[in-house]
Each structure stands twice: as C-alpha cells, then as structure tokens.
Amino acid sequence: MNGYDNCKGLTSLKSEIDGSNYRILIINSRYNYEYVKILTDTVYKTLNEKYHVKPKNILQYIVPGVYELPFTAQHLINIAKYQNIPFNAIVCIGVLKLNNYENVQNNKTTNNNISDSVAHGIMKISIKTNTPIVYGVISDCKEIIEKNCGISKIYRNSYNQGFNWAETAIEMAKIHSIKKQRDITFNPLYSIHSKKEPDMALSNYFHSISAMPQYRCLLLEKYNNNNNNNNNNNNNNNTNKKNLSYV
C-alpha cells in the first residue's frame, strides 16, 4: 500500500487522469512553513508521480502569509494568460496555527476570519479568471494541523491533506481543459422519467438535474408557488367581475 492509498475524504478516481499536458501552479505561504512544506511536497509528488505532470509544468511561488494568496494567484494567472501559457489549475497552501491556549477562543476567531476572507477571495478570483483554484488552508490547533499533515502521534487516522488537494487540482484541470460540449462525459443518474411530473416538463438538459432530490424539491416548490399565484390571480379576477356586475 503506497501513500496515495491512505488518502481520506475523497474517494479514489475510477479512471486515471493523464496530467502530462497540464500546467499547475502551487502558491504557498512561509508562515508555519514546517507544516506548509510537508503539504506542498505531498502535492508536488502526487501530481508528478501519480498523475504524470511534468516537473517543468509544476511551478511554485512562495508568499509571506495566507492573506497574500488571493492577490498573488490573480496576478500570476493574468501574467500567464498574457504570455499565452495559462495554468490549468492552482493550489493555494497555508497554515494558521493557534498558539496561545489561554486566549484560544479569540485566537480561533481571528484565524477563522482570515481563512474565511481568503476563501472568499480565492473563490471570486477563480470565477473571475475562469481558472480552478484549490483552497488548501488549514486553520486549527497544533494537534489537528499535524493530523492533517499526516505526522500526528496522537490520532490514528492521521492523513496528509496534500493528497486530496493534488487530486482535486488534477480533476479541475481536466474540467478546465474542456473546450467543447462533446468532450464532456456526464455521470449517469437514476431515471425518474417513468413518473413524469409537471416540473419535469423542461428541456432534456434539466432532466438529469431534476433527478436529484434537492433539485426536485426546489422545482416542485417553484411549480406549486406558480400554481398558487395563478389561482390567486384567477380569484381576484372573478371578484372584480362580480363587483363590476353590481355597478
């Protein structure tokens, strides 16, 4: 059993993705670098050894702290696009550690605020630049950080999150490489066409989406609301007609 088989959280891909033509950028912070280096090395080795991404196509850039990750990501994405050598995916890695246990609640609140701000910034940049960015920031106490770095001596289920981030990056890079609809392979969902309900009277594209329970509920709710609005409008019209008849 190799290190990749110890990957927790994500289920393993059914088919191996060839990343030999992908360009991946890893941006990591120097803050808490003893942990960041472990995670960064894992991402690099997984991309190279498991998904065959060429070493020359795995670039790394180091920034002072976690808060600098979003700006750096956007700036380097724009430069790469301008030079016509865009990245297929980016992995942002950082660690925020709780040091003072006497003020652990205040410390945790501050770290959560920073990580939330960085997460929102990364998400906006990813959508704005149409470039997948993997959020690899861990904010917790020393014991949990070591657990997520795969070096914990306390937790038996210790695992390295770098495996997950590398796999996420390669999957998103594959999606980013799709240029035409015919290149898309959709996952089959269970069919509900045997019970064709009014909310299913949409285009074929939405049939697969409506098969999912959460979307069925939303569509049914919208359908019922529309029916209620129509009934209310009809009742109002009938009332107005009755009132007019007495004029």
Side-chain angles (χ1 to χ4, degrees):
M1 180 179 291
N2 56 34
Y4 309 120
D5 297 323
N6 294 328
C7 177
K8 303 289 182 68
L10 287 177
T11 55
S12 298
L13 291 170
K14 292 182 179 179
S15 58
E16 187 174 334
I17 298 175
D18 181 16
S20 57
N21 293 324
Y22 294 155
R23 294 185 78 243
I24 311 292
L25 172 64
I26 302 173
I27 307 175
N28 61 269
S29 66
R30 293 199 309 272
Y31 196 68
N32 293 317
Y33 192 68
E34 66 271 24
Y35 302 116
V36 172
K37 187 178 186 305
I38 295 172
L39 297 166
T40 303
D41 289 346
T42 302
V43 172
Y44 180 91
K45 290 179 181 179
T46 307
L47 290 172
N48 177 238
E49 297 176 5
K50 185 177 181 180
Y51 297 109
H52 315 296
V53 182
K54 299 173 183 177
K56 67 177 183 179
N57 289 335
I58 305 176
L59 289 81
Q60 181 187 20
Y61 199 91
I62 302 176
V63 296
V66 171
Y67 207 77
E68 288 73 40
L69 291 172
F71 171 80
T72 307
Q74 181 174 359
H75 186 63
L76 296 181
I77 287 171
N78 290 336
I79 291 176
K81 285 186 175 182
Y82 180 77
Q83 295 179 344
N84 201 26
I85 47 173
F87 298 108
N88 295 100
I90 293 176
V91 184
C92 290
I93 302 175
V95 172
L96 294 169
K97 184 174 68 173
L98 302 179
N99 295 316
N100 189 350
Y101 289 95
E102 294 179 358
N103 299 316
V104 65
Q105 192 60 44
N106 294 333
N107 216 343
K108 190 171 184 179
T109 301
T110 302
N111 281 2
N112 286 342
N113 289 340
I114 295 174
S115 60
D116 286 348
S117 299
V118 173
H120 291 151
I122 287 176
M123 180 184 66
K124 290 179 180 179
I125 292 168
S126 179
I127 296 171
K128 182 179 179 181
T129 60
N130 193 34
T131 304
I133 304 178
V134 179
Y135 177 74
V137 176
I138 299 175
S139 174
D140 220 310
C141 62
K142 178 182 177 182
E143 289 76 12
I144 300 301
I145 291 173
E146 290 180 350
K147 173 186 175 183
N148 287 297
C149 289
I151 58 172
S152 176
K153 297 180 181 178
I154 300 175
Y155 295 93
R156 294 182 60 185
N157 61 339
S158 176
Y159 61 94
N160 194 316
Q161 287 282 0
F163 294 119
N164 290 342
W165 298 339
E167 187 161 307
T168 302
I170 210 72
E171 286 189 70
M172 297 309 296
K174 181 180 179 181
I175 295 173
H176 184 259
S177 66
I178 295 173
K179 303 302 179 185
K180 297 180 181 179
Q181 185 173 350
R182 65 187 178 189
D183 298 331
I184 305 174
T185 303
F186 290 102
N187 297 323
L189 297 171
Y190 62 88
S191 176
I192 59 166
H193 294 169
S194 57
K195 295 182 179 181
K196 197 169 184 180
E197 300 173 359
D199 60 281
M200 297 299 107
L202 302 171
S203 64
N204 292 332
Y205 174 76
F206 287 100
H207 278 312
S208 60
I209 295 180
S210 58
M212 290 181 256
Q214 63 269 33
Y215 287 102
R216 281 170 52 81
C217 293
L218 290 173
L219 289 171
L220 283 171
E221 183 180 355
K222 184 176 180 180
Y223 177 77
N224 292 331
N225 289 338
N226 289 337
N227 276 348
N228 291 334
N229 292 334
N230 291 334
N231 291 335
N232 291 335
N233 291 334
N234 291 335
N235 292 334
N236 291 335
N237 291 336
N238 293 334
T239 303
N240 292 335
K241 288 180 180 179
K242 290 180 180 180
N243 292 336
L244 289 172
S245 62
Y246 290 102
V247 176

